[in-house]
Amino acid sequence: MPPSSNAPEPRPGPLAGLRIVELPAFVAAPLAGMTLAQLGAEVIRIDPLRGGMDQHRWPRTGDGASLYWASLNKGKRSVALPLDTPEGQRAAADIICAAGEGGGIVVTNLPARGLLSYDLLSARRPDLIMMRLLGNHDGSPAVDYSVNCASGFPHATGATEAPVNHVLPAWDIAAGLYLTTGLLAAERRRQATGEGQEVTLALSDVMLATVGNLGYLADVQINGVSREPVGNALYGAFGRDFATSDGRSVMVVAITTRQFDALGRATGLTGKLRLAGELVDADLTTEGGRYAARHALAAVLEPWFAARTLAEVRAAFAGSGALWGPYQTFRQLVAEDERCSPDNPMFSWIEQPGIGTYLAPGSPLSFSRDPVPPARPAPALGADTQDVLAAAGQAR
C-alpha cells in the first residue's frame, strides 16, 4: 500500500471542516469534488481496486499515466475497495457515514444501489447529504456529447448549417459546478435544521436550463426563429477573428459603444468605421447596428490586421481599452501567455507521483479573509485506504 498522500492535517480555506466522499467517474463529479477540495474541504475519492472508468483517460504520459485523472483529482485522498462485493460496499458505507460534524456528505454520478443507496445510508446517518448526478431526469444515461448534440449549439457553431461539435465538455463542467452549489445549499440547510437530504441533478437539465437562460428557447417560442451559424462572428454585437501578417489570428470584440470607440482609436480607423456603418445604413451606437454592419466593418479592419504582426497588434492595443485576444494552441498558451505562469497566484508547482513536476492551477477564487490552499497533487490510487478505514473504525 503506498503511503498516505494527502493526510488530513488542518487545511486552510473557507470549506475547512467539511468532509466529502466521492463515488465518481469522468468529468462532472470529480470536478465538483476537486472544486470543494481546493477550497479546503477534505475530499475522499472511493474507487474499485483497479481504478474507476476514468483511470486511464487521455491525455496521458508516454508511459500511460493519465494526466486527465491526475488533473481532476488534485488535493483529494484516495481509497480503493472491492465495490463489487458486499464487504467493499459496507466499508464504503462506513466511510460515508462515519461520525463527525461536517461529514456524512457523498457526491456520485454512479448508480446508488444496495448498501450505497440513499435510503440505507440515511437510515444509518439521518443527516446524510447525497448529491447525485443523473444523465436524464428520468434516470436514463447520457454523457456530454449525447446531450450537446441535442442542445442546438452544434447547429449554431461553425459557418454552415452542418452541425459542429466543440471539444469543450461544457455541460460536464457546468454540471460539476451545479453539484457544488447544490451540495453547499443542502449543507447550509443541514446546519440550520440538522436534516440531510438527497439532491439530484440531470446533465440534460443543465443543458436545457442553460439554453433557456440564454434566451434561445424563448427566441423560438416567441419569435419563431432559431439562431443561425455565423462562424467566428459574435452573435448580436460586433466581434470576429482577424489574421495577422505572421500567420496568427486574433479575436476582436466590441459589445459596447465605448469598446467600439476604443477599437477605432487603437487602429486609427474611427472615420472609416463610421463611414462603413453609414454605407449600410446601420446605427453603430447600438449592438444590433454593429452586428448588422459586421461585414462592412470587417472589410475595413481586415487590411489593418493583415499588415501587422501579432506583436504589433499587441503594442497597438496595449492600454487602449479595446477588447481582443490572440488565438492560441494549448502549446502556445503555455509558452506565451503570461497569465499561465507562476506569476499568476492561482498556479503553483506540484510534484505528481508517477508523472513529474508541472505547473498546476488551484482554485480561481480568492477570498479576502480565508486563504485558499495552493494546488496539491492527486493521490496514487488507494494511497489513503488504510488511514481512512482506520478513521472510520474499519482498520484491518
Side-chain angles (χ1 to χ4, degrees):
M1 179 69 64
S4 180
S5 56
N6 287 303
E9 73 275 7
R11 300 181 64 185
L15 297 186
L18 276 189
R19 184 172 182 270
I20 297 152
V21 177
E22 279 187 352
L23 294 165
F26 304 122
V27 178
L31 175 65
M34 185 186 68
T35 299
L36 298 165
Q38 288 177 329
L39 295 179
E42 179 191 358
V43 178
I44 300 167
R45 173 170 175 148
I46 301 180
D47 282 299
L49 291 177
R50 295 186 178 181
M53 295 179 283
D54 55 355
Q55 184 73 26
H56 303 291
R57 293 197 78 196
W58 289 13
R60 300 191 297 186
T61 65
D63 57 4
S66 174
L67 294 166
Y68 167 100
W69 195 94
S71 297
L72 271 176
N73 291 287
K74 297 189 297 291
K76 301 178 186 177
R77 308 181 75 198
S78 174
V79 170
L81 296 170
L83 294 175
D84 56 345
T85 68
E87 293 76 18
Q89 291 182 22
R90 190 174 297 111
D94 289 343
I95 294 169
I96 293 167
C97 297
E101 185 178 355
I105 304 173
V106 59
V107 178
T108 186
N109 62 324
L110 303 176
R113 304 188 184 117
L115 297 176
L116 299 178
S117 69
Y118 173 74
D119 289 344
L120 291 184
L121 291 174
S122 61
R124 292 185 56 181
R125 180 162 180 161
D127 68 345
L128 181 94
I129 295 171
M130 175 176 282
M131 191 73 226
R132 191 156 63 93
L133 179 66
L134 311 174
N136 295 301
H137 71 271
D138 62 1
S140 58
V143 296
D144 190 284
Y145 269 85
S146 68
V147 165
N148 185 60
C149 63
S151 70
F153 284 107
H155 281 283
T157 302
T160 70
E161 293 184 357
V164 177
N165 283 336
H166 53 75
V167 299
L168 176 71
W171 310 120
D172 278 339
I173 293 169
L177 299 178
Y178 266 115
L179 288 172
T180 64
T181 303
L183 185 152
L184 293 174
E187 205 276 330
R188 185 175 188 273
R189 185 179 187 280
R190 186 174 73 172
Q191 286 188 23
T193 67
E195 298 173 348
Q197 60 184 306
E198 182 181 30
V199 185
T200 59
L201 173 72
L203 185 65
S204 61
D205 282 348
V206 172
M207 176 271 288
L208 291 166
T210 303
V211 178
N213 292 340
L214 293 175
Y216 296 126
L217 297 182
D219 200 21
V220 173
Q221 297 171 81
I222 301 300
N223 298 325
V225 298
S226 182
R227 174 178 166 174
E228 73 277 9
V230 292
N232 286 335
L234 175 63
Y235 181 67
F238 181 73
R240 56 154 281 183
D241 58 315
F242 294 95
T244 64
S245 64
D246 53 349
R248 297 293 293 270
S249 294
V250 300
M251 182 70 188
V252 175
V253 178
I255 299 174
T256 68
T257 300
R258 177 178 293 185
Q259 293 163 1
F260 185 72
D261 291 344
L263 173 61
R265 289 192 301 269
T267 59
L269 296 172
T270 297
K272 291 183 178 180
L273 291 171
R274 288 175 180 169
L275 179 59
E278 293 172 2
L279 289 174
V280 296
D281 196 25
D283 181 359
L284 298 185
T285 66
T286 67
E287 291 183 38
R290 292 188 289 270
Y291 181 70
R294 65 189 183 280
H295 299 301
L297 298 174
V300 173
L301 290 164
E302 280 175 348
W304 188 91
F305 286 98
R308 288 164 175 79
T309 65
L310 176 60
E312 290 170 331
V313 171
R314 191 185 303 276
F317 277 57
S320 68
L323 296 182
W324 78 288
Y327 280 88
Q328 299 175 149
T329 64
F330 295 129
R331 184 184 297 275
Q332 290 166 337
L333 172 63
V334 172
E336 301 174 6
D337 200 317
E338 62 183 13
R339 296 167 297 185
C340 185
S341 75
D343 293 335
N344 185 338
M346 180 181 71
F347 284 98
S348 56
W349 294 99
I350 64 172
E351 176 65 34
Q352 181 60 51
I355 290 177
T357 301
Y358 58 91
L359 195 63
S363 174
L365 293 168
S366 178
F367 295 80
S368 63
R369 295 187 181 275
D370 293 293
V372 174
R376 295 157 57 98
L381 178 66
D384 304 287
T385 302
Q386 292 304 321
D387 288 345
V388 172
L389 287 174
Q394 290 294 309
R396 298 176 184 179

